[in-house]
Amino acid sequence: MATRTDWATVSEEIGELSGQVAQLHAQIVSLAARVIEDDTWKGGGIRSVEHFLTLKTGLDRHTVGKMVKVARRTGELPELMASLTEGRVTLDQAAIVAAHAPASYSADATEIAQYATCTQLRRALSTYFRSDHSTPDTGRDTSSLTMGVIDDQFRLSFTTTDLVAGSQVQQAIREAKDALFTAGNTEASLADGLVDVAARSLETVTEPSRRNRYQVLIHLDTDGKSWLHKAGALPHHLTERYTCEGQLIPVWETEGKPVAVGRTQRIVPGRTRRLVEDRDKGCRFPDCASTGYLEIHHKTHWRDGGSTDPSNLLCLCSFHHDEHHRGSFTISGDPERPDGLTFRSHHGEKITPRPPDPPPEPDLPPHLWEDNLGEHLDMRWVHFNPNHQRVPI
């Protein structure tokens, strides 16, 4: 008959392991801070620091996101990093402090983290550190928007004193970003959300004359050059990306002069697209979680004679489609097989999730974890002092 495990023994063992896990997390956070500082993570289709770490550690994106959050503030919060390295706070606690605490209150915020659960810590910090910015009431609302191409970059700037209108714009962009995230693009940014809002708006136009008037047109010639309608030339990678999948309106010329315009036709027919999407079930780039808003890529480009058949097509998210045409990585192999594609960085290195190495022999300092979390925390008595006025607890 099994005996009941001694509660005190188990509590001590769990506390010790938690402290040691925190110390190991601290080592990864330190390395993450280094790769952020010198941009080591960039290149080869890697979307972000978080993407880089998920490939190298095998950890989920949520955990890696906490590591990056702490890594970005290691210079501002030295007490926090020291406590994580010593095993006094966990990664979860450190991430909460990094998300809320100003650098000038780092010492008190770190100390209370050693004695509070994550829920208590989050409530205490979010209650104490709150931004409260007000805008003078001028009696009337003004808004302005400027947009256009400057130095080969499209720039848009919007300002308004109508905070309700501003909130509507903000919420629309956030909703679109969340939709992209829900569809699998976990690295979607607010800028991606803004582009998606614009794309959705254009998709709702049903009147043919208006739909044609507000199309985005790219002109192509037989020499491989392209340019945006009524605007300047496009770089090669954008030409390749947007002609992988889209609509063509052929223009016939006689002696260099256009004489007729044909009917619009899709590069990738709808039925073929559905077959490829169902086969791939998401972006084919290693460890990319995007399953929605996918683009169909020709492994051998259609302008180079590549066929529009499933054996030459694969799904990529917009980020990796663009990165491939920029030359960040190459794709080879058979898209029809689940394991048939090989991705290599522009240096020729194979891009693939790395299995974890066997763990080394434990060589960690004694844990300093305090097994006294979860005591009642009365928010009326929580007070944070700036570092120069700090009162020891």
Side-chain angles (χ1 to χ4, degrees):
M1 185 176 185
T3 58
R4 187 171 183 272
T5 304
D6 180 67
W7 186 88
T9 301
V10 171
S11 296
E12 183 178 351
E13 290 178 359
I14 290 176
E16 182 175 345
L17 290 172
S18 295
Q20 292 178 349
V21 167
Q23 292 171 325
L24 290 171
H25 281 159
Q27 294 179 30
I28 299 178
V29 169
S30 295
L31 288 172
R34 284 169 48 190
V35 302
I36 290 171
E37 183 178 4
D38 58 18
D39 289 337
T40 305
W41 63 270
K42 289 186 176 180
I46 302 300
R47 186 191 290 269
S48 62
V49 181
E50 291 83 355
H51 188 189
F52 173 80
L53 290 176
T54 58
L55 279 171
K56 300 303 180 183
T57 63
L59 298 172
D60 69 276
R61 294 172 186 270
H62 189 57
T63 302
V64 162
K66 295 174 185 176
M67 291 177 170
V68 172
K69 187 173 293 183
V70 178
R72 292 189 186 281
R73 300 202 64 195
T74 53
E76 300 177 75
L77 306 172
E79 299 90 350
L80 179 66
M81 195 60 201
S83 292
L84 184 63
T85 302
E86 293 169 356
R88 292 183 182 272
V89 299
T90 65
L91 175 64
D92 291 342
Q93 292 169 310
I96 295 170
V97 174
H100 293 281
S104 56
Y105 287 81
S106 60
D108 266 13
T110 299
E111 183 148 5
I112 198 171
Q114 299 176 28
Y115 302 97
T117 65
C118 288
T119 300
Q120 291 173 331
L121 183 61
R122 187 178 291 107
R123 288 174 180 171
L125 292 173
S126 62
T127 299
Y128 197 86
F129 300 112
R130 177 180 296 164
S131 60
D132 185 18
H133 303 290
S134 59
T135 302
D137 187 1
T138 60
R140 67 190 186 102
D141 298 320
T142 59
S143 301
S144 66
L145 186 146
T146 59
M147 58 184 176
V149 178
I150 302 174
D151 296 332
D152 295 329
Q153 291 184 328
F154 179 83
R155 300 184 185 183
L156 180 148
S157 175
F158 172 67
T159 58
T160 182
T161 56
D162 184 342
L163 299 185
V164 175
S167 294
Q168 288 178 317
V169 173
Q170 186 180 56
Q171 291 296 77
I173 294 172
R174 284 179 172 172
E175 187 280 330
K177 175 181 178 291
D178 181 70
L180 292 170
F181 181 92
T182 303
N185 184 358
T186 56
E187 307 295 341
S189 65
L190 290 175
D192 296 325
L194 176 60
V195 173
D196 189 59
V197 168
R200 290 189 201 178
S201 176
L202 290 175
E203 288 173 359
T204 62
V205 180
T206 56
E207 185 182 339
S209 61
R210 288 182 60 82
R211 192 175 184 88
N212 292 335
R213 180 179 180 183
Y214 291 104
Q215 278 185 328
V216 177
L217 301 177
I218 298 175
H219 295 256
L220 307 172
D221 67 16
T222 55
D223 295 328
K225 297 177 183 178
S226 67
W227 58 97
L228 203 58
H229 189 58
K230 297 188 294 185
L234 289 175
H236 181 71
H237 73 274
L238 288 181
T239 304
E240 295 290 281
R241 173 185 169 186
Y242 286 109
T243 54
C244 262
E245 182 189 14
Q247 293 184 336
L248 289 179
I249 304 177
V251 177
W252 284 274
E253 297 184 358
T254 298
E255 296 180 352
K257 297 179 179 180
V259 294
V261 178
R263 295 180 58 189
T264 300
Q265 53 185 301
R266 293 200 66 83
I267 296 174
V268 179
R271 180 177 180 278
T272 304
R273 178 188 175 90
R274 289 191 290 271
L275 288 173
V276 174
E277 287 180 331
D278 185 66
R279 180 197 69 192
D280 292 353
K281 297 180 173 60
C283 178
R284 295 289 292 269
F285 189 88
D287 201 46
C288 182
S290 295
T291 57
Y293 303 93
L294 299 171
E295 299 175 1
I296 304 299
H297 170 67
H298 288 68
K299 191 165 66 73
T300 300
H301 200 269
W302 71 273
R303 295 181 69 190
D304 298 326
S307 65
T308 306
D309 299 317
S311 59
N312 188 47
L313 302 175
L314 60 137
C315 289
L316 292 175
C317 66
S318 59
F319 173 83
H320 285 118
H321 198 184
D322 187 46
E323 284 293 289
H324 170 67
H325 287 303
R326 286 180 182 273
S328 293
F329 60 89
T330 61
I331 307 173
S332 60
D334 181 6
E336 296 279 62
R337 292 171 40 213
D339 60 347
L341 292 175
T342 299
F343 295 78
R344 295 187 182 277
S345 72
H346 61 287
H347 297 299
E349 300 165 342
K350 191 174 181 181
I351 303 170
T352 183
R354 182 174 176 227
D357 294 328
E361 291 296 322
D363 184 24
L364 297 170
H367 78 94
L368 298 172
W369 182 255
E370 298 290 345
D371 188 19
N372 57 356
L373 300 184
E375 297 294 330
H376 176 67
L377 185 64
D378 191 333
M379 294 299 175
R380 293 175 298 175
W381 302 105
V382 174
H383 181 75
F384 295 91
N385 294 289
N387 291 344
H388 63 280
Q389 299 177 0
R390 187 164 174 264
V391 178
I393 294 178

